[in-house]
Amino acid sequence: MPYQIATVRRVLGDAHIRHLISDEVGLGKTVQALMIVNALRWQNTAHRSLVIAPDNLLAQWQEECWIRGHVMPAIAGSIADGTHDELSPVTLARPRDLMTRPGQGTRTISADSAVFDLLIVDEPQTMPRDAIQAISQAADEFRQVLVLSATPRLGDPAWREPILRMIEPEAAALARMEGRSVADMLQDREEAAIAALNGSDSPDDWTRAFLQSGASRRIIRNGRSEWNEYLPQRRNHEVRLQPLESERMRHEIAAIVLEGADPAEGIQGPAWTAARALQRSARAARTVLTELATRGGALAQMAEAARVKSLEDPGDSRLEALLDILSEQWCHDEDRAFIIVCGDNPTIDMLRAALPRYFPFLADGISVLRRPAATEVEGVTNLREIQETLAPLLSRENRLLLVGDWVQAGLNLHHVAQGIIFFSLPWEIDGIDQLIGRVDRLGPAGDRKRSRRIIDIWRILIEGSQEAAIADTVAALGVFDSPLPPLSPSELAELQTVLGRAAIRRKAAPSVGPLSGNGTGMNSRFKDADPHSPRQAAAYFELWSEKACPEPAMLSELAIQKETPVRREERSIGAWLKTITASGDFDIGFRRDKVDGYGFHTLWYHGVGERGRAGDSPFALPGVSRESWMSGHVPFIYRRSHISAPPRKSVFTDDGERSIEGEKSGRPLRFFDHGAELHDAMVAGYTSACLKDFGTAKPVVQTSVRLPEGHPARGIGPLVLISAALVDPFPDRLLPSLWTPNAKEMLESAPTDVQRRGLTADRNALQSLFRALQRKVRIAAPVELIRVGSWKARDNWQDLAEVDLDLCLEPMTPSTNNALAKGRTPLVPLEKQEVVNLIRSRQMAAINSMLERHKASVLNTVRQELAGFALQVSAYFQAEIMNRELALQRRKASPPEAGPVELWQGQVAALERSLAMARLNFSEAKTFIQEIAAGQLIMSGVQPCSVLLALITDE
């Protein structure tokens, strides 16, 4: 999606990754976080992330890491000795795994910045207050932090402070020293920046000030209103009914029960519970009526009369409406599935028994999701059981899901159904929002601009009921039309009070309007200066949509116009896999799941004695044994269109597959793409093999290539010389070393391990900043492959057009048989060495000229980006140095009244050393950025590779 690409670019291109992603519910915050994780892993293979998520979201993270992020995460506490899993780049933990409480044992894992690079905190507002305080404190030392929350509660100081501490650590440190709030410090920072603008009305000046000092500079929020044309659309249906006599009687009794209730104290308690039950089915109401009938007085008489009436006339006006809705919908689409919100277990039981009488095919076609028992606290277990409940719906065996007035956060139901029917309505506004939000989520990859998925929402209301008054108020607030915006606890309590009063009056609340979902609760005077607009995101998306297929292209004649870059990349991967298959390097096959016939690819070594024996493979693969098929084959897919709904994590490749416990257990299904261990190992393996055969150690490699019938390079010429250079504007070798002489001298002078760890953390933070600069440059100027070629005419060598050059490098014919071009080392030189040297020198001159032009273009592209980056770096170091100077001054001004003076002197010396390191880092960072901007480092030392090809045909 456009906003996802824009968010990832924004985070990766910032000087520091410390951001709050606050997109509305269902817009894919987890996916965006995993994109960022994989980008950081690709840039630094040693990168590790710690994800802290609520119990009920842990299983979702575990699934998303594998399905979307191509990585199998470690789970805190799952390792017997309690040590970290050094093999996994992602570790998942719950808040309680980091806490130590009386009677609950020791913590499972430590949020250690020396072990982990990136800290991700998901939905912090759902965590215990003491846990989020501890997490925000631990975040101080992390080099990278992401906070994910659709409702961050930034309007509530109790929640705003820990979140701002995580994303604005310099301002938070100063706030702690001065005994003020972080929000106050950010406000002061903005006022100072506005004063420095000196009345300027230049948009560029205001943009730079926002990036340096804006209170919301690291807060990202995308709402559905900006991206309606890409997102699912809600279509509301309201069915209003006149009550039956028995229903009218129950509504009157509910009104009496609620007399004297004060909704400002909450809408929980016996009176509210009884009133709710009286809105539900007759079966649900009878228990309440029986209890009220025992109290005596007029209310008891009314309750008994209503109970008797419900037995005489057990009809339900809403049931008839529900039958009409289902009948009409199934007439149009007999396979459509629906979620029915029932309110409580008795109503679930009533509908489960009643519906099959009208729709016989539902006899075994209804799934039920009840609220878990209060003792069930393990969110992972609950979510797994829920997924088992949903399995028949996903396989289309069942077409109805009955739920109460509850659904677990993090549960994705959009794969199950695209229609939700409120047979009964929750009385909590956030409960209604959560239920709709489980269905109104991003769909499969096919959901693109103007390809809208419709979410139908029905609410069945009985005139004169308390529930109808609540529904009308919620509709006026706009909650049926769009997700609930971020609300503080006090704001949410006020809304619940409004709903409660509407229920008591049995009329919609007057003078309420739609809630605004555009804000985060964080005010900023630089709001209009934020350059990260939907228009900019759409522009990035259009540029990305024009991205060409990875070159040199293979099977390019099969490409379809207006394909997405993802599909073009998948086409290139498919051609690469066909080339590997034809080469015999590895065995790439196709199989079907033994259970349901789902198709997938497999990769393995060829068996001993077969073509391309295992020992002849050019390199070893991770997790792929050479011993036998059963012990080593790897199932994978590589196209998004092959992802099932919901995505599966495993497949059954053989009838005999069993787990250790003897149960049938599938093999993990991998997605073959960037970030996946198997894919990246094959890229690295073939890159290494290529450099070995065609590396810079050999000025010109000579080879003869036999072109099969139909190959597009037939007829180009008998001899072709090609030189190519990979142009990376910021290769890893340009990254400065961790320890410069001055920094190393400072480290060696530190007398304690604690001081040395602090200085090392400072240097690691500087390295992270340099890597951020590398990302900034690469985003603005991606890596390119420059290539030139020459072909031998009868009397001389002539330049080769780039399109023909690429044809010479195609390994297969474009025909359906995919015949392979095969090369071998010639027995005698193909051309005189002096001629080869002359042609190569001419090509080197052409490449160097292209490099200079490209370098000028890159510098022109990134210079403005570097200027903004330098301002951000300067603002960061100035704030950090000021904080350290203030800490040092305060320590010097408060010598100990008692105790050894040597301890105080050591503390002062440590602070002085820390300050000196911050100043040194600032100096080195400025110098390095200036060298990059001046072009002194970009594109230096590019080494082209050259190959002389003899193109041989059968003619």
Side-chain angles (χ1 to χ4, degrees):
M1 295 292 180
Y3 62 88
Q4 292 177 317
I5 291 176
T7 293
V8 173
R9 284 177 60 110
R10 175 176 175 177
V11 172
L12 292 175
D14 210 328
H16 294 87
I17 297 179
R18 299 194 84 95
H19 293 79
L20 165 63
I21 301 179
S22 184
D23 292 355
E24 286 183 5
V25 172
L27 297 192
K29 292 183 290 295
T30 305
V31 172
Q32 294 173 64
L34 287 173
M35 292 168 71
I36 293 167
V37 166
N38 266 356
L40 296 174
R41 288 176 53 212
W42 179 83
Q43 189 184 23
N44 175 17
T45 56
H47 189 275
R48 299 193 65 202
S49 301
L50 173 63
V51 179
I52 304 174
D55 289 24
N56 60 336
L57 296 184
L58 205 66
Q60 179 188 345
W61 266 100
Q62 186 177 13
E63 186 169 276
E64 294 287 291
C65 280
W66 178 249
I67 292 170
R68 310 291 185 192
H70 318 318
V71 59
M72 190 65 74
I75 309 295
S78 62
I79 305 170
D81 60 2
T83 59
H84 298 297
D85 181 359
E86 298 294 341
L87 300 179
S88 178
V90 178
T91 298
L92 307 180
R94 299 161 295 188
R96 57 192 169 110
D97 292 325
L98 288 84
M99 304 297 294
T100 303
R101 292 191 176 94
Q104 295 187 9
T106 60
R107 62 187 178 189
T108 304
I109 191 172
S110 175
D112 189 349
S113 60
V115 177
F116 300 102
D117 302 276
L118 169 64
L119 174 66
I120 300 177
V121 185
D122 193 13
E123 301 296 352
Q125 77 283 354
T126 67
M127 300 177 185
R129 188 70 58 84
D130 59 343
I132 197 61
Q133 292 291 349
I135 292 169
S136 66
Q137 183 176 351
D140 292 345
E141 306 301 325
F142 274 80
R143 294 178 288 281
Q144 300 161 340
V145 177
L146 287 178
V147 182
L148 314 180
S149 175
T151 54
R153 302 183 182 180
L154 296 184
D156 184 344
W159 291 102
R160 180 177 62 224
E161 289 299 298
I163 290 177
L164 291 182
R165 178 172 180 171
M166 286 188 274
I167 64 174
E168 291 283 0
E170 297 83 39
L174 182 58
R176 290 193 300 276
M177 284 189 283
E178 296 189 355
R180 303 173 63 194
S181 70
V182 186
D184 287 343
M185 304 309 301
L186 296 182
Q187 183 178 349
D188 289 352
R189 191 174 72 184
E190 284 198 341
E191 291 176 354
I194 290 174
L197 286 170
N198 197 26
S200 170
D201 58 0
S202 167
D204 290 340
D205 290 345
W206 278 81
T207 295
R208 284 191 290 270
F210 167 82
L211 295 175
Q212 285 180 266
S213 307
S216 59
R217 62 178 181 167
R218 293 174 179 169
I219 299 174
I220 303 170
R221 181 168 179 81
N222 287 290
R224 291 163 182 259
S225 59
E226 300 111 336
W227 303 103
N228 269 339
E229 56 191 340
Y230 291 91
L231 301 172
Q233 303 297 300
R234 298 185 181 188
R235 185 165 57 192
N236 280 288
H237 313 267
E238 182 182 83
V239 181
R240 300 190 81 92
L241 309 167
Q242 293 300 317
L244 301 174
E245 178 64 19
S246 59
E247 293 168 338
R248 185 190 61 76
M249 294 173 68
R250 296 202 298 271
H251 300 159
E252 297 296 336
I253 293 170
I256 296 173
V257 168
L258 290 178
E259 286 181 357
D262 184 1
E265 298 177 357
I267 58 173
Q268 304 299 322
W272 293 99
T273 301
R276 279 191 181 90
L278 291 169
Q279 312 291 302
R280 314 298 194 212
S281 62
R283 181 182 298 188
R286 284 187 199 118
T287 302
V288 175
L289 293 172
T290 300
E291 192 275 329
L292 292 175
T294 64
R295 296 185 180 183
L299 179 60
Q301 294 177 3
M302 292 178 65
E304 178 59 21
R307 188 187 69 81
V308 172
K309 188 66 175 177
S310 70
L311 293 172
E312 294 173 349
D313 180 13
D316 192 317
S317 57
R318 288 173 300 182
L319 177 59
E320 296 179 10
L322 175 63
L323 295 175
D324 289 342
I325 293 170
L326 294 176
S327 178
E328 179 184 1
Q329 293 299 312
W330 281 332
C331 281
H332 288 93
D333 183 357
E334 62 182 11
D335 294 325
R336 194 172 185 192
F338 298 91
I339 298 168
I340 301 178
V341 182
C342 304
D344 53 28
N345 287 341
T347 306
I348 289 176
D349 295 335
M350 182 274 290
L351 289 178
R352 195 176 192 182
L355 289 174
R357 292 201 294 268
Y358 301 92
F359 303 103
F361 60 84
L362 291 178
D364 296 313
I366 299 177
S367 296
V368 173
L369 192 59
R370 302 179 189 271
R371 184 187 292 270
T375 55
E376 295 180 17
V377 297
E378 291 293 337
V380 174
T381 302
N382 288 342
L383 203 54
R384 188 175 296 119
E385 292 174 354
I386 289 170
Q387 296 292 3
E388 293 174 359
T389 300
L390 300 180
L393 286 153
L394 297 169
S395 63
R396 300 304 181 207
E397 297 175 24
N398 291 2
R399 279 185 275 173
L400 286 184
L401 173 64
L402 306 183
V403 301
D405 59 357
W406 159 92
V407 69
Q408 183 154 341
L411 182 63
N412 296 325
L413 297 178
H414 60 291
H415 296 304
V416 172
Q418 293 181 15
I420 183 168
I421 304 170
F422 285 99
F423 184 85
S424 296
L425 196 77
W427 287 24
E428 292 82 9
I429 192 170
D430 51 342
I432 297 171
D433 178 68
Q434 274 289 339
L435 280 161
I436 300 174
R438 297 304 100 199
V439 181
D440 184 7
R441 306 186 74 76
L442 290 185
D447 287 353
R448 287 296 179 259
K449 189 175 183 180
R450 299 184 184 92
S451 177
R452 298 186 178 180
R453 186 162 51 94
I454 301 299
I455 308 298
D456 283 305
I457 305 168
W458 286 269
R459 51 186 188 273
I460 305 175
L461 307 175
I462 302 177
E463 290 283 9
S465 67
Q466 286 79 7
E467 203 160 279
I470 287 178
D472 293 343
T473 305
V474 171
L477 291 168
V479 177
F480 289 112
D481 300 309
S482 60
L484 195 67
L487 299 171
S488 70
S490 60
E491 291 170 329
L492 187 59
E494 289 175 6
L495 283 178
Q496 288 299 150
T497 301
V498 171
L499 295 186
R501 288 172 179 161
I504 292 172
R505 289 194 303 263
R506 285 196 279 176
K507 290 183 179 179
S511 304
V512 296
L515 299 168
S516 173
N518 295 328
T520 61
M522 187 70 188
N523 296 321
S524 171
R525 296 177 66 181
F526 283 97
K527 179 181 178 181
D528 296 333
D530 186 349
H532 306 291
S533 64
R535 178 180 296 181
Q536 184 197 55
Y540 282 151
F541 189 71
E542 292 303 320
L543 287 174
W544 176 75
S545 298
E546 298 171 2
K547 182 181 175 183
C549 182
E551 298 286 355
M554 293 184 284
L555 308 183
S556 56
E557 83 295 344
L558 298 178
I560 300 172
Q561 272 192 331
K562 297 185 178 179
E563 277 188 325
T564 66
V566 167
R567 184 64 193 97
R568 289 194 285 270
E569 183 171 318
E570 289 173 352
R571 188 178 300 285
S572 187
I573 289 176
W576 183 39
L577 291 172
K578 287 181 180 180
T579 305
I580 295 171
T581 301
S583 71
D585 288 345
F586 298 98
D587 182 5
I588 298 177
F590 182 86
R591 292 173 73 86
R592 291 195 176 275
D593 190 286
K594 292 293 184 178
V595 176
D596 59 11
Y598 173 81
F600 53 90
H601 295 279
T602 57
L603 186 145
W604 193 56
Y605 302 100
H606 285 286
V608 176
E610 297 179 8
R611 179 195 60 175
R613 298 190 314 277
D616 292 340
S617 295
F619 50 87
L621 294 174
V624 185
S625 169
R626 299 176 184 268
E627 296 173 2
S628 69
W629 166 266
M630 283 296 293
S631 66
H633 70 280
V634 177
F636 71 91
I637 56 176
Y638 69 91
R639 289 185 177 178
R640 272 72 174 173
S641 59
H642 292 167
I643 299 175
S644 59
R648 64 173 66 205
K649 294 186 291 185
S650 61
V651 290
F652 294 99
T653 58
D654 292 279
D655 294 327
E657 288 177 335
R658 302 282 171 179
S659 67
I660 297 175
E661 294 78 13
E663 298 178 358
K664 199 165 187 179
S665 176
R667 294 178 185 268
L669 179 66
R670 302 164 190 259
F671 197 89
F672 192 79
D673 202 348
H674 300 285
E677 181 186 37
L678 186 65
H679 171 276
D680 292 354
M682 293 194 72
V683 171
Y686 275 110
T687 299
S688 177
C690 181
L691 291 176
K692 179 181 177 182
D693 290 335
F694 300 94
T696 56
K698 305 174 182 177
V700 179
V701 175
Q702 298 193 22
T703 185
S704 60
V705 181
R706 184 170 296 278
L707 302 178
E709 186 68 33
H711 193 282
R714 289 170 72 98
I716 286 182
L719 290 179
V720 175
L721 180 63
I722 297 173
S723 296
L726 191 66
V727 182
D728 181 353
F730 201 139
D732 287 345
R733 57 182 170 76
L734 290 188
L735 290 168
S737 61
L738 179 63
W739 295 103
T740 58
N742 289 339
K744 192 171 184 180
E745 180 181 351
M746 200 175 299
L747 176 72
E748 292 172 348
S749 69
T752 67
D753 289 341
V754 172
Q755 290 189 37
R756 283 190 287 271
R757 281 197 296 270
L759 296 174
T760 302
D762 284 344
R763 296 302 293 185
N764 284 329
L766 182 62
Q767 281 290 302
S768 292
L769 192 148
F770 289 149
R771 289 191 181 276
L773 178 59
Q774 183 185 47
R775 293 192 300 271
K776 190 83 170 177
V777 172
R778 281 175 165 171
I779 288 173
V783 175
E784 290 190 19
L785 181 68
I786 291 181
R787 51 203 183 280
V788 296
S790 306
W791 68 282
K792 186 176 183 181
R794 177 171 299 179
D795 299 323
N796 60 353
W797 284 77
Q798 299 183 7
D799 292 338
L800 187 65
E802 191 173 272
V803 61
D804 292 329
L805 183 157
D806 287 343
L807 292 179
C808 295
L809 297 177
E810 287 203 11
M812 291 183 293
T813 64
S815 57
T816 55
N817 64 346
N818 293 323
L820 192 69
K822 297 183 178 181
R824 64 180 179 84
T825 303
L827 299 177
V828 296
L830 300 174
E831 181 61 278
K832 295 179 180 179
Q833 190 62 45
E834 57 269 22
V835 175
V836 173
N837 292 341
L838 177 64
I839 303 304
R840 186 174 186 272
S841 296
R842 188 190 309 164
Q843 291 182 351
M844 293 302 99
I847 287 178
N848 288 330
S849 176
M850 295 168 69
L851 280 174
E852 286 302 313
R853 292 195 300 272
H854 188 62
K855 179 178 179 179
S857 174
V858 168
L859 287 173
N860 184 58
T861 300
V862 305
R863 192 164 278 126
Q864 186 172 358
E865 301 278 350
L866 290 174
F869 189 90
L871 289 173
Q872 286 182 297
V873 170
S874 179
Y876 160 72
F877 275 112
Q878 287 175 7
E880 186 67 24
I881 289 171
M882 184 183 71
N883 287 348
R884 297 188 187 192
E885 286 175 341
L886 182 58
L888 176 60
Q889 291 169 6
R890 294 192 172 193
R891 195 71 195 96
K892 284 183 175 180
S894 56
E897 297 179 359
V901 70
E902 291 80 9
L903 176 61
W904 172 78
Q905 291 172 338
Q907 293 171 340
V908 169
L911 290 172
E912 289 175 338
R913 195 172 286 107
S914 175
L915 175 60
M917 181 62 81
R919 288 171 173 164
L920 175 63
N921 287 352
F922 186 21
S923 174
E924 291 183 1
K926 285 194 297 184
T927 300
F928 186 70
I929 294 172
Q930 290 167 358
E931 290 175 346
I932 292 290
Q936 298 175 17
L937 299 177
I938 285 182
M939 295 181 193
S940 59
V942 174
Q943 295 293 326
C945 301
S946 301
V947 57
L948 180 63
L949 302 165
L951 303 180
I952 302 171
T953 65
D954 297 330
E955 298 171 355

